[in-house]
Amino acid sequence: MDIRKLIKKDAWLAMRNNWGKAFAVVLISFSFLIFTVLIEKLLSYILDVSYFIDYAQTPAFYLDDITNLGPASFAVLFSALIIHLLIYSPVSLGNKKWYLGLAGANPFPVSAVFSYFSGFQNFFKAFCLRFHLLIRKALFWTLINTPAIIVFVLLCLLKFFVASQELFMIQLAFSIIFICLFLLCQLLAICFLQRYFLAEYIYVLYHCKIRDAIKMSVLIMKGHRSEIFSVILSFIPYYIVNILWLPSFATIPHMNMVYAIYAKYFIERFEQQKNGTVSESSGNSNDILDGNTKPLPNIKEIKFPSM
């Protein structure tokens, strides 16, 4: 059986008799996300900062509004981002811990979601891990999207260099090129950034240094990024139905469970390869969920690729 279908099936089996807990985990996550959004709105209201400016003075028509690029707007956005990372980072790691418990047939109580709020060190490291990953992903996303950014800049500058009678057709051509290039760059970026897929899972499992968790993720995911990318694409129907909000109480737990099982599977395969005991999967779910994860080899003894 195809490994993706097998893992998705195992995810449904692992969630059996745990749906009530999964709903509670989703509600906790939503509560923290809504709280961070409310804080952002409160900051905008207190500082009287709007993200859009109605230069045309047409309050009933929103399509002509222009993005506010003022320093106050950026300050509010940056503050909201830091607050989001501070509040949601421990919850994110707690989520992964809870799903990894199910993946290892060792379920945790729902209170495991709050594990990284216990003590300043756990809280601060959770924040630092998410912040490190955010910076790395943002840098690589910008680099991968450079061609699309260049085309967009050229599109904006066309009116200064092209005659008015030819402007429309040239703008149309550049717009089509930009849209196609932008979509292609997004697909490439999503696939490439899966090199960090395991970082949080490794940190949760082994309580290692943040840098070591990121390096180990890059090492293990080498050759597997397209596999996770295909899993993400297979969840497109889930993302569509999540617009209705209510189905997300079933789709989000299943997706998180699939990702947790994949994480455990990749880590255990890596261990087997390091120990010379790797074997071809027989298609049995026990090949993936075979109990507690063994310790990874000594991180210091492994030569990592850069970043």
Side-chain angles (χ1 to χ4, degrees):
M1 182 184 292
D2 178 63
I3 188 67
R4 187 174 69 195
K5 293 180 180 178
L6 176 62
I7 289 180
K8 285 188 174 182
K9 178 182 177 182
D10 283 342
W12 287 117
L13 295 175
M15 292 299 299
R16 184 184 299 173
N17 300 324
N18 288 288
W19 281 106
K21 295 179 181 179
F23 293 159
V25 171
V26 173
L27 279 175
I28 291 170
S29 300
F30 279 173
S31 299
F32 276 86
L33 287 174
I34 293 172
F35 181 66
T36 57
V37 171
L38 290 176
I39 291 178
E40 179 187 353
K41 297 297 182 183
L42 181 61
L43 285 173
S44 301
Y45 177 77
I46 293 174
L47 299 176
D48 193 22
V49 175
S50 176
Y51 297 131
F52 296 94
I53 301 176
D54 187 12
Y55 284 105
Q57 300 297 318
T58 53
F61 187 68
Y62 298 100
L63 295 179
D64 62 346
D65 291 356
I66 300 176
T67 303
N68 185 0
L69 300 178
S73 177
F74 278 106
V76 170
L77 284 174
F78 182 76
S79 300
L81 175 62
I82 296 300
I83 293 172
H84 171 80
L85 289 174
L86 281 171
I87 294 176
Y88 194 71
S89 295
V91 178
S92 176
L93 289 185
N95 272 334
K96 288 176 171 57
K97 180 177 181 179
W98 190 80
Y99 285 105
L100 280 171
L102 287 184
N106 183 29
F108 292 105
V110 175
S111 59
V113 176
F114 302 101
S115 299
Y116 292 90
F117 285 100
S118 60
F120 176 77
Q121 187 176 14
N122 285 335
F123 180 86
F124 184 69
K125 285 186 175 180
F127 166 77
C128 289
L129 176 59
R130 294 272 291 187
F131 186 74
H132 271 73
L133 291 174
L134 176 64
I135 294 298
R136 290 168 181 261
K137 289 179 179 180
L139 290 174
F140 277 118
W141 182 90
T142 303
L143 182 63
I144 295 172
N145 280 271
T146 299
I149 294 173
I150 293 174
V151 173
F152 179 76
V153 172
L154 292 175
L155 177 62
C156 295
L157 296 176
L158 278 176
K159 60 182 179 181
F160 299 107
F161 301 99
V162 180
S164 57
Q165 62 269 23
E166 302 172 353
L167 182 60
F168 175 75
M169 293 304 298
I170 296 178
Q171 281 184 330
L172 179 62
F174 268 81
S175 298
I176 294 173
I177 293 173
F178 168 72
I179 292 172
C180 295
L181 194 57
F182 179 78
L183 293 175
L184 177 61
C185 288
Q186 302 321 299
L187 294 176
L188 291 175
I190 293 172
C191 183
F192 181 80
L193 293 178
Q194 297 315 307
R195 69 202 314 251
Y196 300 122
F197 170 74
L198 292 175
E200 291 181 295
Y201 292 104
I202 291 173
Y203 179 81
V204 168
L205 284 170
Y206 304 106
H207 308 289
C208 55
K209 294 180 180 179
I210 291 173
R211 194 170 113 188
D212 291 337
I214 294 174
K215 287 183 176 180
M216 183 63 76
S217 175
V218 174
L219 180 65
I220 298 177
M221 288 304 295
K222 190 175 182 180
H224 296 293
R225 290 175 301 199
S226 59
E227 191 171 347
I228 289 296
F229 179 65
S230 66
V231 174
I232 294 173
L233 292 181
S234 72
F235 282 138
I236 288 178
Y238 280 9
Y239 295 124
I240 295 174
V241 299
N242 282 350
I243 298 174
L244 303 176
W245 190 75
L246 192 60
S248 61
F249 284 93
T251 58
I252 290 178
H254 183 236
M255 286 191 293
N256 287 336
M257 194 70 247
V258 169
Y259 293 143
I261 295 176
Y262 259 109
K264 194 169 187 300
Y265 170 68
F266 287 145
I267 291 170
E268 290 184 350
R269 290 280 294 183
F270 176 77
E271 290 169 349
Q272 293 171 357
Q273 290 172 351
K274 293 298 293 183
N275 297 327
T277 59
V278 65
S279 59
E280 294 296 326
S281 174
S282 63
N284 192 328
S285 61
N286 292 329
D287 293 335
I288 298 174
L289 300 178
D290 58 353
N292 295 326
T293 303
K294 301 175 184 178
L296 279 170
N298 189 345
I299 291 179
K300 295 181 180 179
E301 296 178 357
I302 301 174
K303 184 177 180 181
F304 297 103
S306 59
M307 202 158 175

